[in-house]
Amino acid sequence: MSANERATRALREIQQIPGNDACADCGAPDPGWGSCSLGVFICLACSGIHRNIPDISKVKSLSLSRWEDHEMQFMAENGNELMKSKYEAAVPVYYYKPTHKDCQVLREQWIRAKYERKEFSEPGKNFTYEEGTRDGVLMKRGRDNGQFLSRRFVLSEREGTLKYFTKYDAKEPKAVIKVDTINATFQPEKIGNPNGLQITYLKDYSTRNVFIYHENGKEVVDWFNSIRAVQLHYLKVAFPGATDAELVPKLTRNFLKEGYMEKTGPRQTEGFKKRWFTLDQRRLMYFKDPLDAFAKGEVFLGNRDHGYNVFLGLPAGTHCNGAWQHGITIETPERLFLFTCEMESDQQDWVKHFSDIMSAPMSPQEYTMEAMFKHRH
């Protein structure tokens, strides 16, 4: 057995130690790389980020690189669990810890915050996310022309609002958004910028989208975590008896699924038209364009016991003039909604999501939302 094979075998043994079998930074299974200066096992994607901080992290492939005995010894003595207890000793509860499904900018800033800035190593540190107010310029997509222009944004914990102004010194904000209605989710592909962030909020019971980015990845991730910090503060006031574990899932959330389907109107005689769909918890919204400010319409997905159902295919006799053949029928107490997907795999995936939602029990807030929907439509 060559020295290299011996090293690989030894490293794979160290990797059997609990905690080392998933990436130290994003949790991806079976990491194939190691940082021999930090003593952690990481995945290929995170190893690329570590490479960008060479003075802190020296990365090697577990199977292709040459490992020195002292490096392997260092990996054995340290490892993911021990390093987590050091570099993640004091992560604030609202801070979003990315997974391997999250985009590059979130993962990169998490890794830099941990190892480069050592933000979470000592308890009792003051975090920039908790200053109670944040004021800065972000690029915002115009609602009508689609151009990104610089706008001043102000987040205030005291007022519980996020405001934006069209001119830096404008007295009156263009919009005042209550933080308890905000969702924020990174959408680099959709927005066409690696640091693209989508902010959605409720305005007069309709969902409004705002698309922003900042050239500096740290700046946009700081905004994101500051919004989460303010939201947690508000939730603690609103639900004084609740634990952090109960409140954190109520902060920002990623959409369950997004993509194109075709849909027909309520009489089912209109042509099927291609629309962009976003599934956000129990709200299925559809847009003409993925970057539209307002949805053209939305469907509330309630619980099965209350007359909500989903079926593969379209009702017999539906005249389907669209190009897409893989049908889905959603039944609500009021009407049927008919959709078609381009691929069978898409159809199966949407139906699984709809089915899971309809099987889940509803919260008091969701009953309120359902009543609101019925009132509105």
Side-chain angles (χ1 to χ4, degrees), residues 58 63 69 88 94 101 107 145 166 176 191 207 215 229 246 272 289 294 333:
K58 187 177 171 204
S63 50
D69 287 345
E88 295 182 30
Y94 56 78
K101 295 191 175 112
R107 289 203 315 244
N145 57 13
T166 43
V176 178
I191 293 173
T207 304
E215 286 306 340
E246 289 167 319
F272 275 80
D289 180 273
F294 294 98

Side-chain angles (χ1 to χ4, degrees), residues 221-267:
V221 174
D222 285 357
W223 270 99
F224 175 67
N225 280 305
S226 298
I227 288 170
R228 289 174 61 90
V230 171
Q231 286 184 323
L232 183 65
H233 170 82
Y234 264 72
L235 284 167
K236 279 182 183 292
V237 174
F239 304 98
T243 63
D244 286 345
E246 289 167 319
L247 296 179
V248 166
K250 295 186 193 311
L251 303 180
T252 62
R253 59 198 176 269
N254 295 326
F255 298 133
L256 296 174
K257 185 172 169 67
E258 288 197 287
Y260 284 109
M261 291 193 283
E262 292 189 335
K263 74 172 286 293
T264 180
R267 292 191 297 281

